[in-house]
Amino acid sequence: MNTTAPDTRASTVIEPPSGWFSLDLAEVWRYRDLLLLLTMRDISARFRQSVIGYGWAIFRPLLTAAIFTLVFSIFVRIETDVPYPIFAFAGLMPWMYFSSSLIGVTTSVVDGSALLTKVYFPRLVLPLAKVAVGLVELALQFVVLIGLMVLYRYTPGPELLLLPLFILIMVVTALAFGIWMTALNVKFRDIAMAVPFLVQIWMYLCPIVYPIDLVPQQYRTLYALNPMVGVIEGFRWALLGSVQPNWGTMGISMLVLLVVLVSGVAYFRKVETTFADII
Amino acid sequence: MSDSIQIDGLSKRYQLGLTHARSVRDLANRLAGRLIGKGGWKDGGSMIAEPDRVEDGHFWALRDINFRVGQGEVVGVIGKNGAGKSTLLKLLSRITYPTEGRVELFGRVASLLEVGTGFHPELTGRENVFLNGTILGMTRREVREQLDAIVEFAGVEKFLDTPVKRYSSGMKVRLGFAVAAHLDPEILIVDEVLAVGDIEFQKRCLGKMKSVAESGKTVLFVSHNLASIRSLTTRTVVLSHGRLIFDGPTQQGVTKYVEENLIGEDSDVSIADAPRAFSGLDQKLRFTDLRLAGLDESGCLPMTGEFAMEAAITAHDDCEKLQVAITVMTDDKTPVGSTFSEILPAPEKGQTKTYPLVSHFNLAPGRYHCAISITDFRSAATRLHDSLSDVLPFGVGIGALSGSGGPAHWNPAWGMVQLQQLNQVRSDAVHSCEE
């Protein structure tokens, strides 16, 4: 039996939520094992009992890229500096990650209601556990991309070293928007209905099927308010080394991202104390 | 002894009705309601039977709870459904936050509100043990160290790599409980829902809880199963209508809890509306009122032990005859004895008739209440028309002893019935032996 004095024991204080919010990321770190296992659960449960399994992660972007090539390179003829299939695939990779992660993060808290109403853990673990799942699919897509690049005899340049940075920005973008959406979704389930639709529209506001040059100069600043513009441009540049992204545009994208992230985490921490009551 | 749990002025308030507009139509209705002046927000309030807990469209699930639990103490929490037990549990588990007050817990806390939280049907038993363990606050390393013990306790060695969706429900529960049983907290907060599964497994759960309790851990056990509360705890906290109404020895706590549920003369619930003891009663004949006569001001039977009552019975269907059965119970619901009326003529259909009934009970001093039934006279008390438990509370005063020339006090170990006085046999045959 522990005979230490009471003041040396770990103490947990439960009080009414006060003030605006406390970030307390140290606590999230203490729960890293849970984060890891929830992530593993999603990864390993995702394609269980499906014949093609992770093949789906490859077929989806590949088929989409093929259709885009048909429509935008043969029917419509969009001019790109790299072969259109690689152009489209390199743009689709971050986008598909973003859209599926955003949808996953949006429903994460409501989907986790069985846990939320029975056990305490830092609620941020739920959205965080959802952003890693898509990375596995992304990794598989890289294999396909390498195949395409070999096919079209394309060698990446030294910019490739910056790819991890853009992957990180991509993950943070999905998280930043997702945290807002998932916190709002607890109260307004409309969010979960709206996000998949929103994502469809959003795609047309990103330079995926068309290069950014097609956006008229006077709209570029407005266009750059969409953080995914910076992510996709950076991704494509790092992979294909085509045109250097406009760093001004990139700066605006990152600034917007930062605002969304900080406000999202703040809002999440503020309302998380009520999740169990209203879920 | 230092405190493990300190609860000060803990209150939790919920908003009644919807916390937000569920749909546009709903929102429009509400706005329209408010314009007309009907106050759509108050709708929830009128449905709640406890006006003292409702305030401005809010409901106090818990109000001003104060108690402390010392290190190594095992404390039970009892109360009716809706008394606030679950809310207290949720607050202590940090699932929801208090509106007012403060709780401090010293030491590592494990709170178990359900078995197998977070089990994923597609994952294997092994994967789920890790998942569930970390959800309950263990690290992966701790789970790995305990894995063999957990698997053995659950008895699922052969199915460890089978998806949990192929498990029987019993296996799932066993696996979930096994994980929970191998947590090593200093404070354990447990909900009675843990006692699920078959009888044998329930026994094992309670056995495990008992050994945890005996190992010097602090345990807070929430239940309305009086038997397990009595066997596991020595101290009990009773909640009623969101407030703490008793904190003390379990035996007295159980008594308090049972008495609180009794339907007596001053209860808000009338006999006609009171919940019945079982479902599936045909209710051709139904109690509409029950009254005891001749009780003194402290609610005790007269010294003579005469038990006089009146039962008003309404006939909803044609029944020729009836029989009334009464079981007397002690304040912790132990039955003492039963008695049956003679066969009585039933009231005509649609009519109500009052039956004065009388008996004589030689009970030990204490608090008692009755369960009462109307039986079909042909069925030898196996078919019931109506049945109520927790009614007709009465007491037996200490005077009942001296009145009959008995002892001045009664030791509970002597039982609950005063048997007839032990008389010396006035026969010459016995006397002759002494002489």
Side-chain angles (χ1 to χ4, degrees):
Chain A
M1 197 59 229
N2 194 350
T3 50
T4 46
D7 39 294
T8 64
R9 290 177 298 173
S11 135
T12 313
V13 176
I14 302 166
E15 278 180 323
S18 62
W20 179 227
F21 76 101
S22 63
L23 197 50
D24 202 7
L25 288 180
E27 194 183 28
V28 176
W29 176 246
R30 274 205 302 284
Y31 276 83
R32 61 190 180 278
D33 276 357
L34 175 61
L35 180 57
L36 185 77
L37 279 161
L38 284 176
T39 304
M40 300 287 286
R41 172 180 85 170
D42 284 349
I43 291 172
S44 62
R46 184 145 200 172
F47 293 113
R48 290 249 169 126
Q49 242 188 45
S50 93
V51 179
I52 305 175
Y54 271 92
W56 284 112
I58 293 166
F59 288 132
R60 268 183 307 192
L62 206 57
L63 283 175
T64 316
I67 290 293
F68 284 175
T69 308
L70 183 71
V71 175
F72 297 106
S73 173
I74 296 171
F75 297 174
V76 185
R77 279 182 203 285
I78 289 176
E79 290 294 319
T80 50
D81 48 352
V82 290
Y84 195 85
I86 318 183
F87 174 85
F89 198 83
L92 273 171
M93 279 168 54
W95 177 255
M96 286 208 151
Y97 169 85
F98 174 76
S99 60
S100 70
S101 296
L102 181 65
I103 293 169
V105 174
T106 299
T107 54
S108 64
V109 172
V110 170
D111 287 349
S113 61
L115 291 187
L116 209 70
T117 53
K118 298 290 178 206
V119 187
Y120 172 80
F121 55 90
R123 301 327 193 187
L124 266 177
V125 166
L126 288 173
L128 283 171
K130 289 287 176 187
V131 288
V133 183
L135 290 177
V136 179
E137 293 182 31
L138 192 74
L140 291 169
Q141 289 159 9
F142 270 113
V143 179
V144 180
L145 184 74
I146 292 166
L148 282 175
M149 285 166 88
V150 170
L151 196 70
Y152 287 92
R153 289 164 209 281
Y154 221 93
T155 4
E159 310 85 29
L160 192 65
L161 294 174
L162 281 173
L163 189 66
L165 175 71
F166 291 111
I167 291 179
L168 181 72
I169 298 173
M170 172 191 77
V171 173
V172 173
T173 312
L175 194 64
F177 283 93
I179 280 180
W180 262 110
M181 294 299 123
T182 196
L184 286 170
N185 189 42
V186 174
K187 211 166 184 183
F188 308 101
R189 297 291 153 86
D190 313 56
I191 300 293
M193 308 284 167
V195 166
F197 171 68
L198 200 80
V199 161
Q200 269 180 13
I201 299 175
W202 199 334
M203 196 184 96
Y204 294 99
L205 294 175
C206 299
I208 297 164
V209 297
Y210 54 85
I212 196 165
D213 325 332
L214 289 189
V215 179
Q217 198 67 47
Q218 68 265 37
Y219 297 131
R220 288 277 170 90
T221 314
L222 204 60
Y223 188 73
L225 288 177
N226 169 7
M228 277 312 282
V229 171
V231 171
I232 292 166
E233 280 297 285
F235 222 83
R236 205 177 259 145
W237 172 64
L239 281 172
L240 309 176
S242 47
V243 195
Q244 239 198 48
N246 180 321
W247 297 108
T249 317
M250 192 70 94
I252 298 171
S253 285
M254 292 310 106
L255 202 68
V256 172
L257 174 58
L258 196 71
V259 170
V260 175
L261 179 70
V262 172
S263 60
V265 173
Y267 178 69
F268 188 93
R269 303 275 339 196
K270 181 171 163 53
V271 298
E272 69 174 352
T273 53
T274 63
F275 283 168
D277 294 341
I278 58 181
I279 210 157
Chain B
M1 184 171 58
S2 55
D3 285 339
S4 263
I5 306 175
Q6 297 178 346
I7 300 175
D8 298 298
L10 195 67
S11 299
K12 174 74 183 178
R13 193 177 64 179
Y14 284 104
Q15 192 161 9
L16 276 177
L18 290 168
T19 48
H20 57 93
R22 197 189 275 160
S23 66
V24 177
R25 196 208 286 170
D26 185 45
L27 189 67
N29 283 345
R30 262 186 215 196
L31 286 174
R34 274 208 265 179
L35 284 177
I36 301 164
K38 269 167 134 184
W41 295 95
K42 293 231 167 85
D43 280 354
S46 57
M47 290 161 67
I48 301 282
E50 301 165 273
D52 51 320
R53 288 171 88 180
V54 178
E55 190 184 284
D56 304 334
H58 288 91
F59 177 78
W60 289 94
L62 271 188
R63 203 144 193 197
D64 198 26
I65 303 296
N66 295 284
F67 67 93
R68 262 137 224 272
V69 180
Q71 200 177 323
E73 243 188 314
V74 181
V75 175
V77 177
I78 52 178
K80 275 196 283 195
N81 286 335
K85 297 190 305 278
S86 303
T87 305
L88 180 64
L89 209 61
K90 281 188 175 173
L91 287 171
L92 294 178
S93 315
R94 290 204 284 166
I95 288 160
T96 182
Y97 286 76
T99 313
E100 287 164 13
R102 185 175 193 276
V103 177
E104 192 159 3
L105 302 154
F106 299 93
R108 187 172 146 157
V109 187
S111 92
L112 295 173
L113 272 64
E114 111 187 316
V115 189
T117 306
F119 270 12
H120 193 293
E122 295 287 348
L123 301 184
T124 66
R126 185 195 309 273
E127 288 168 319
N128 271 310
V129 167
F130 276 94
L131 187 62
N132 185 233
T134 48
I135 284 171
L136 293 174
M138 289 199 251
T139 62
R140 270 181 305 152
R141 218 181 84 205
E142 286 168 320
V143 179
R144 209 175 296 127
E145 284 164 5
Q146 301 263 32
L147 187 63
D148 291 340
I150 291 171
V151 170
E152 204 203 306
F153 189 89
V156 294
E157 293 92 339
K158 284 183 202 148
F159 308 97
L160 202 54
D161 293 305
T162 307
V164 159
K165 66 177 174 183
R166 309 249 179 268
Y167 279 32
S168 72
S169 48
M171 282 160 71
K172 254 182 271 182
V173 170
R174 283 206 305 274
L175 190 64
F177 186 81
V179 177
H182 289 83
L183 289 170
D184 187 31
E186 285 148 89
I187 303 174
L188 185 65
I189 300 170
V190 204
D191 195 9
E192 64 183 340
V193 292
L194 265 191
V196 288
D198 55 23
I199 301 280
E200 192 250 352
F201 185 68
Q202 280 185 23
K203 270 191 195 153
R204 211 147 112 198
C205 292
L206 285 173
K208 182 77 194 174
M209 297 247 321
K210 210 163 189 153
S211 73
V212 168
E214 280 159 7
S215 69
K217 304 240 160 73
T218 307
V219 183
L220 203 65
F221 180 51
V222 179
S223 179
H224 47 215
N225 181 346
L226 299 179
S228 45
I229 285 277
R230 258 203 306 265
S231 76
L232 286 172
T233 70
T234 49
R235 177 181 154 202
T236 292
V237 162
V238 184
L239 296 180
S240 170
H241 303 279
R243 290 178 189 270
L244 191 150
I245 56 163
F246 177 85
D247 179 1
T250 294
Q251 191 55 49
Q252 287 171 33
V254 168
T255 303
K256 181 87 187 168
Y257 167 70
V258 171
E259 267 183 4
E260 208 230 334
N261 287 329
L262 293 179
I263 301 160
E265 311 250 306
D266 47 356
S267 305
D268 331 331
V269 190
S270 72
I271 292 295
D273 303 332
R276 265 40 198 173
F278 331 95
S279 54
L281 295 163
D282 68 15
Q283 310 227 339
K284 285 179 182 171
L285 296 170
R286 203 177 145 90
F287 288 115
T288 45
D289 197 15
L290 294 169
R291 247 166 236 292
L292 276 173
L295 297 185
D296 65 17
E297 63 276 10
S298 57
C300 286
L301 294 186
M303 302 249 260
T304 55
E306 188 183 76
F307 176 89
M309 63 165 292
E310 287 183 348
I313 294 173
T314 304
H316 292 285
D317 206 341
D318 288 317
C319 289
E320 207 183 322
K321 286 168 183 161
L322 64 89
Q323 188 174 22
V324 174
I326 290 178
T327 300
V328 176
M329 295 193 234
T330 60
D331 53 9
D332 62 355
K333 295 207 170 189
T334 313
V336 176
S338 294
T339 177
F340 295 84
S341 73
E342 55 200 312
I343 288 167
L344 304 163
E348 302 211 348
K349 186 177 173 184
Q351 302 286 305
T352 302
K353 197 166 157 186
T354 301
Y355 298 83
L357 301 165
V358 69
S359 179
H360 192 272
F361 297 159
N362 279 322
L363 294 169
R367 303 291 312 171
Y368 299 87
H369 63 270
C370 306
I372 187 165
S373 304
I374 311 173
T375 73
D376 181 347
F377 72 101
R378 281 165 302 215
S379 72
T382 53
R383 271 215 314 274
L384 304 181
H385 292 304
D386 196 11
S387 182
L388 286 155
S389 49
D390 306 331
V391 291
L392 298 171
F394 64 92
V396 173
I398 198 89
L401 298 169
S402 49
S404 55
H409 79 286
W410 188 270
N411 185 332
W414 297 345
M416 283 147 318
V417 180
Q418 277 191 69
L419 302 176
Q420 291 224 328
Q421 193 170 15
L422 202 54
N423 292 318
Q424 188 178 353
V425 182
R426 308 251 178 232
S427 150
D428 293 339
V430 177
H431 283 280
S432 63
C433 288
E434 260 178 50
E435 283 158 358

